[in-house]
């Protein structure tokens, strides 16, 4: 079964550093998403991306964050200057369509630790 | 605003037994979608079952079924004949009829005991 692949599985970075989290969505999917889960809290929506632009974003997704689809396969989340509170599990997801009863396909996540 | 609440952080069940995971939600929407996702240890989240709010019939997928009570805003997951491979974190999620955003609960960690 096709999978969404995220790398790395765990990343440790120093506060203030830039970090890029990488995702390879399922090849025929057109919609891409990032979610995050701070330890012990809910999984929260960050952003959705379609046709090379952001289609929806949450309040969490401020100017520190950006997303990009640099080539035909990768979908990245960049955090420009990491803060301690950015420590979380970050999940990438993709879907063939949007809305409806579609369930997205999620990746295994990248655990980001900011020290 | 939409909220999803899972009041059971951890649960356990004997292999072959039945277990029910609770989920309640709050919304002013009349039509929406509800989902249960499963996340095995160190693995990706996978969709277990989904329910359209406009359908009265409860969704069923093999050993997994839901009890959807729209008036009570309750969406519980029943796992029958529990198997060791059911050990995972289970997330309840809500999505509006239109839009991309899932609203998740905090999850229930289920352990199936041999």
């Amino acid at each position: 079964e096709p999978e969404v692949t995220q790398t790395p599985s765990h990343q440790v970075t120093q506060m203030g550093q830039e970090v890029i989290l990488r995702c390879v969505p399922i090849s025929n999917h057109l919609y891409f998403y990032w979610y995050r889960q701070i330890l012990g809290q809910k999984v929260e929506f960050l952003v959705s991306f379609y046709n090379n632009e952001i289609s929806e974003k949450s309040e969490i997704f401020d100017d520190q964050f950006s997303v990009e689809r640099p080539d035909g396969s990768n979908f990245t989340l960049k955090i420009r200057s990491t803060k301690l509170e950015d420590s979380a599990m970050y999940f990438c997801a993709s879907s063939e369509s949007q809305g409806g009863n579609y369930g997205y396909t999620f990746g295994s996540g990248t655990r980001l630790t900011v020290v | 605003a939409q909220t999803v609440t899972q009041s059971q952080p951890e649960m356990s069940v004997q292999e072959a037994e039945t277990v029910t995971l609770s989920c309640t939600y709050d919304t002013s929407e009349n039509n929406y979608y509800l989902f249960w996702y499963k996340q095995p240890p160190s693995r990706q989240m996978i969709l277990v079952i989904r329910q359209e709010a406009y359908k009265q019939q409860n969704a069923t997928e093999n050993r997994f079924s839901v009890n959807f009570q729209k008036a009570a805003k309750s969406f519980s997951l029943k796992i029958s004949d529990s198997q060791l491979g059911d050990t995972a974190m289970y997330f309840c999620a809500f999505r509006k009829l239109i839009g991309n955003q899932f609203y998740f609960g905090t999850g229930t960690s289920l352990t199936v005991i041999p």
Side-chain angles (χ1 to χ4, degrees):
Chain A
E1 191 165 331
E3 290 190 349
V4 173
T5 305
Q6 289 187 245
T7 55
S9 56
H10 189 193
Q11 179 150 2
V12 181
T13 189
Q14 287 208 317
M15 190 170 57
Q17 295 296 304
E18 175 183 285
V19 67
I20 297 176
L21 308 183
R22 303 182 190 280
C23 169
V24 179
I26 293 174
S27 59
N28 65 333
H29 284 186
L30 301 175
Y31 298 83
F32 315 110
Y33 315 89
W34 282 101
Y35 283 75
R36 80 171 186 190
Q37 185 183 27
I38 295 171
L39 188 64
Q41 299 185 24
K42 297 184 179 185
V43 177
E44 302 171 293
F45 171 76
L46 293 178
V47 66
S48 62
F49 190 85
Y50 169 71
N51 198 26
N52 281 320
E53 59 183 31
I54 291 172
S55 50
E56 197 175 341
K57 63 181 181 178
S58 71
E59 294 172 353
I60 303 168
F61 195 87
D62 59 22
D63 292 343
Q64 288 285 89
F65 293 90
S66 63
V67 289
E68 194 176 32
R69 190 156 161 80
D71 53 42
S73 59
N74 289 286
F75 179 52
T76 62
L77 174 69
K78 182 193 292 186
I79 308 174
R80 287 192 183 80
S81 177
T82 49
K83 303 186 283 283
L84 293 177
E85 53 264 39
D86 293 328
S87 294
M89 181 73 90
Y90 288 82
F91 295 103
C92 173
S94 69
S95 66
E96 202 171 339
S97 182
Q98 67 168 343
N101 65 351
Y102 281 93
Y104 306 158
T105 303
F106 284 86
S108 303
T110 293
R111 179 167 297 285
L112 176 65
T113 303
V114 182
V115 296
Chain B
Q2 278 62 229
T3 59
V4 177
T5 302
Q6 294 178 250
S7 58
Q8 305 152 314
E10 295 181 354
M11 293 190 72
S12 61
V13 62
Q14 289 291 138
E15 194 175 5
E17 297 293 307
T18 295
V19 65
T20 299
L21 309 183
S22 300
C23 173
T24 58
Y25 58 93
D26 191 24
T27 183
S28 57
E29 304 284 318
N30 188 45
N31 287 314
Y32 44 85
Y33 301 101
L34 294 164
F35 304 81
W36 278 97
Y37 275 89
K38 165 187 175 182
Q39 186 182 32
S42 302
R43 299 282 304 278
Q44 64 191 98
M45 270 199 283
I46 55 177
L47 180 64
V48 174
I49 197 165
R50 76 192 92 193
Q51 174 83 41
E52 294 90 344
Y54 51 84
K55 288 187 179 178
Q56 291 186 338
Q57 187 173 9
N58 288 326
T60 299
E61 288 285 341
N62 302 311
R63 298 182 294 107
F64 298 87
S65 61
V66 298
N67 183 5
F68 173 49
Q69 301 289 328
K70 191 174 182 181
K73 295 180 181 172
S74 170
F75 183 61
S76 60
L77 174 70
K78 185 171 84 171
I79 306 173
S80 305
D81 185 26
S82 297
Q83 300 175 358
L84 297 179
D86 294 334
T87 292
M89 182 71 85
Y90 287 81
F91 292 99
C92 178
F94 169 101
R95 199 170 80 214
K96 294 181 185 180
L97 210 62
I98 296 173
N100 295 311
Q101 186 172 351
F102 277 96
Y103 299 86
F104 284 92
T106 49
T108 295
S109 178
L110 176 69
T111 301
V112 179
I113 302 166

